[in-house]
C-alpha cells in the first residue's frame, strides 16, 4: 500500500519539490490532500495532476474562487480549513511546508491526530518546541525534519549510543552577502537579498538566509529536535553547501553528511523514512569539487544569528518574540518599507522591550506572538 500524504504549502518551493519526489516514488507515495495560502489556480492544477479530491486554501476568498471553479472535490477555507484537511484526510504522513508561524496550527493538528509529520516549517519548533515535542510523544507520532541540515543530523545521530555525541555543527552558506561589512550592507536592495548563491527558496526564507536568521532559527530547531543544549550546537559558514551538517563524538571523531545542494534529498528522506527513494541527483565527485572551505560566522555584522541564540537561551516566549518580530521586519523589507540592516534592529528592540514569559500553553504562545507583532510594527515604523 502506498503511504498516504498530505502536502501543506504545495505551491511553494518545498511543496513543488515534494510533488516531484512523489512523481518519482514509483507508487510508494500517494498524495491525498493539498493546501496553499492563496494561489488557488496553481493548487487546482496540482490537484488535477495528482488526482487529489481534497484541497484547502488559507485565504477564504481564494477558497471561494477555487470552489466555484472546481466541482470535482472538496475545498476547505481559512486556517480551520487547513486543520480540517489534516484531520479528515486519513493521511499516514503530513508534510508541513507552510511558511512562518502560521504553520504551527497545522503541526499541532497533525501531531494531535497521531499522524507522522515531515516538518519543513521550522517556526513550529522555534515558537512552540517544548509543547510540540510533548504532543508528539503523547501521540507517538514521528517528527521527521525536512531542513537539509536537520535531515543530515538525523541521519548522523540515528544509531549512535546515548551520551556519545559531544557537539552538533550546522553549516551555513553565508548567503549573498558573506564577507561584507555593515557599511557595505546599508544600501542593499530586495533583489540583491533574494539572489541566494546556492539554494532556490521562497522569498521569506531567502531573506532569512541573507541575514543569517535562518541559521539562528535552525539552531533553535536543532535544540528541540535532538534535545541538545545550545552550548553544544555551533554554526560554521561553508559557502559550497556540500557539507550539510557534522557531529562530533566523545572519541574525537567528526562525522559529516555531504551531497550536492538539492532539497529533494531532505524531502525524500522524510517521506520515505525509514526507507529511501531514488532521485536523479549525481553522486558526489570530490575530485571535481577540489576544495571545501569553512569559516566562523560574523555575528557582529549578521547579528540575527546572535539574537536567535540569545533568545533560545532565554527560553520561554523569547523565541516566539524573536520569530514574530523577524516575520514583521522581513515583510516590511520585502515591501520596501525597511532597510536590510533594520531587520535585525527591529528584532533586537522588540526582544529588549518585551521580556520573555512562560511558554506554558499554545494559547500563551499565540498571545505572545500577537503582542510581539504589534510591538515590532511600531518599532519598524520608528526605523522606516
Amino acid at each position: 500500500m502506498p503511504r498516504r500524504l498530505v502536502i501543506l504549502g504545495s505551491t511553494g518551493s518545498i511543496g513543488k519539490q515534494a510533488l516531484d519526489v512523489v512523481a518519482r516514488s514509483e507508487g510508494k507515495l500517494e498524495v491525498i490532500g493539498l493546501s496553499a495560502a492563496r494561489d488557488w489556480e496553481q493548487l487546482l492544477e496540482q490537484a488535477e495532476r495528482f488526482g487529489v479530491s481534497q484541497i484547502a486554501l488559507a485565504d477564504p476568498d481564494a477558497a471561494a474562487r477555487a470552489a466555484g471553479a472546481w466541482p470535482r472535490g472538496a475545498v476547505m477555507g481559512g486556517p480551520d480549513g487547513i486543520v480540517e484537511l489534516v484531520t479528515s484526510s486519513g493521511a499516514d504522513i503530513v508534510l508541513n511546508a507552510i511558511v512562518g508561524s502560521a504553520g504551527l496550527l497545522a503541526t499541532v493538528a497533525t501531531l494531535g491526530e497521531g499522524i507522522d509529520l515531515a516538518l519543513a516549517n521550522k517556526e513550529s519548533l522555534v515558537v512552540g518546541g517544548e509543547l510540540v515535542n510533548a504532543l508528539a510523544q503523547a501521540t507517538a507520532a514521528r517528527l521527521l525534519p525536512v531542513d537539509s541540515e536537520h535531515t543530515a543530523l538525523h541521519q548522523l545521530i540515528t544509531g549512535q549510543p546515548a551520551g556519545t555525541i559531544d557537539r552538533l555543527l550546522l553549516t551555513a552558506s553565508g548567503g549573498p552577502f558573506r564577507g561584507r561589512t555593515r557599511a557595505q550592507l546599508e544600501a542593499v536592495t530586495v533583489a540583491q537579498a533574494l539572489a541566494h548563491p546556492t539554494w532556490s527558496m521562497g522569498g521569506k526564507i531567502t531573506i532569512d538566509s541573507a541575514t543569517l536568521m535562518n541559521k539562528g532559527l535552525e539552531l533553535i530547531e536543532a535544540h528541540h529536535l535532538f534535545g541538545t543544549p545550545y552550548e553544544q550546537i555551533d554554526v560554521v559558514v561553508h559557502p559550497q553547501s556540500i557539507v550539510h551538517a557534522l557531529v562530533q563524538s566523545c572519541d574525537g571523531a567528526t562525522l559529516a553528511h555531504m551531497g550536492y545542494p538539492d532539497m529533494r534529498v531532505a524531502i525524500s528522506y522524510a517521506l520515505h523514512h525509514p526507507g529511501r527513494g531514488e532521485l536523479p541527483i549525481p553522486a558526489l565527485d570530490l575530485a571535481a569539487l577540489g576544495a571545501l572551505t569553512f569559516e566562523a560566522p560574523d555575528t557582529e555584522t549578521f547579528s540575527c544569528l546572535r539574537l536567535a541564540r540569545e533568545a533560545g537561551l532565554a527560553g520561554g516566549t523569547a523565541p516566539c518574540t524573536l520569530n514574530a518580530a523577524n516575520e514583521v521586519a522581513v515583510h516590511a523589507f520585502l515591501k520596501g518599507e525597511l532597510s536590510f540592516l533594520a531587520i535585525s534592529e527591529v528584532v533586537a528592540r522588540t526582544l529588549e522591550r518585551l521580556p520573555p514569559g512562560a511558554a506554558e500553553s499554545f494559547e500563551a504562545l499565540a498571545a505572545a506572538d500577537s503582542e510581539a507583532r504589534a510591538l515590532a510594527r511600531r518599532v519598524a515604523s520608528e526605523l522606516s
Side-chain angles (χ1 to χ4, degrees):
M1 290 286 292
R3 186 172 293 177
R4 295 167 297 176
L5 167 67
V6 168
I7 301 177
L8 307 179
S10 65
T11 60
S13 175
I14 295 295
K16 291 176 184 176
Q17 292 178 85
L19 288 173
D20 182 72
V21 169
V22 171
R24 300 175 187 278
S25 72
E26 298 180 339
K28 295 176 183 176
L29 298 170
E30 177 189 3
V31 183
I32 59 171
L34 297 170
S35 87
R38 60 186 60 87
D39 189 353
W40 64 271
E41 292 176 308
Q42 184 176 181
L43 188 65
L44 290 188
E45 185 276 325
Q46 292 175 339
E48 292 282 358
R49 180 155 45 101
F50 285 87
V52 173
S53 60
Q54 293 187 88
I55 63 171
L57 287 130
D59 184 277
D61 291 337
R65 290 172 179 263
W70 193 53
R72 290 183 293 281
V75 181
M76 302 158 214
D80 290 342
I82 304 291
V83 170
E84 183 183 356
L85 174 65
V86 169
T87 58
S88 67
S89 65
D92 298 310
I93 186 167
V94 171
L95 170 61
N96 185 353
I98 296 172
V99 176
S101 59
L104 177 58
L105 189 61
T107 287
V108 172
T110 302
L111 297 176
E113 291 291 315
I115 302 170
D116 289 345
L117 176 65
L119 187 62
N121 175 259
K122 61 176 63 66
E123 290 83 359
S124 289
L125 287 174
V126 170
V127 173
E130 292 180 5
L131 296 174
V132 168
N133 275 332
L135 184 58
Q137 291 169 7
T139 62
R142 294 187 306 168
L143 185 57
L144 299 162
V146 174
D147 272 332
S148 61
E149 295 80 5
H150 301 97
T151 296
L153 288 172
H154 191 274
Q155 294 179 65
L156 291 169
I157 291 172
T158 298
Q160 297 292 331
T164 61
I165 301 298
D166 279 352
R167 188 164 296 275
L168 311 182
L169 285 87
L170 298 165
T171 57
S173 70
F177 306 129
R178 181 178 62 89
R180 297 197 193 183
T181 64
R182 288 188 67 84
Q184 292 172 322
L185 296 177
E186 289 192 3
V188 160
T189 66
V190 172
Q192 290 171 330
L194 289 172
H196 195 279
T198 53
W199 293 98
S200 175
M201 304 175 290
K204 195 267 181 183
I205 298 175
T206 304
I207 300 303
D208 283 349
S209 180
T211 65
L212 289 196
M213 178 59 86
N214 196 48
K215 207 54 51 178
L217 299 179
E218 289 177 3
L219 186 150
I220 297 172
E221 186 181 6
H223 165 75
H224 290 296
L225 278 170
F226 306 111
T228 305
Y230 287 104
E231 295 81 2
Q232 293 174 243
I233 308 174
D234 285 333
V235 172
V236 62
V237 174
H238 169 50
Q240 296 83 16
S241 298
I242 295 297
V243 178
H244 302 300
L246 308 96
V247 298
Q248 295 177 336
S249 61
C250 60
D251 60 3
T254 297
L255 310 177
H257 180 284
M258 305 170 70
Y260 294 115
D262 192 315
M263 278 304 301
R264 291 177 299 175
V265 175
I267 295 166
S268 181
Y269 176 79
L271 297 185
H272 287 97
H273 187 76
R276 288 184 183 267
E278 290 192 17
L279 293 172
I281 298 171
L284 195 62
D285 188 337
L286 292 173
L289 286 169
L292 302 175
T293 61
F294 304 88
E295 61 195 59
D298 178 1
T299 55
E300 292 303 314
T301 301
F302 301 95
S303 57
C304 283
L305 177 55
R306 172 179 54 79
L307 291 169
R309 183 182 287 276
E310 291 172 355
L313 287 167
T317 58
C320 178
T321 297
L322 170 98
N323 181 73
N326 180 65
E327 288 188 10
V328 168
V330 169
H331 181 67
F333 171 69
L334 287 170
K335 291 175 63 179
E337 298 172 352
L338 201 67
S339 72
F340 180 77
L341 289 177
I343 294 174
S344 60
E345 190 63 25
V346 168
V347 175
R349 294 191 188 187
T350 304
L351 285 167
E352 287 171 5
R353 299 182 192 179
L354 199 59
E360 56 194 4
S361 66
F362 289 114
E363 290 77 15
L365 290 174
D369 178 86
S370 179
E371 186 178 8
R373 287 176 191 276
L375 176 55
R377 291 187 188 100
R378 293 197 296 272
V379 173
S381 179
E382 294 168 5
L383 295 172
S384 61

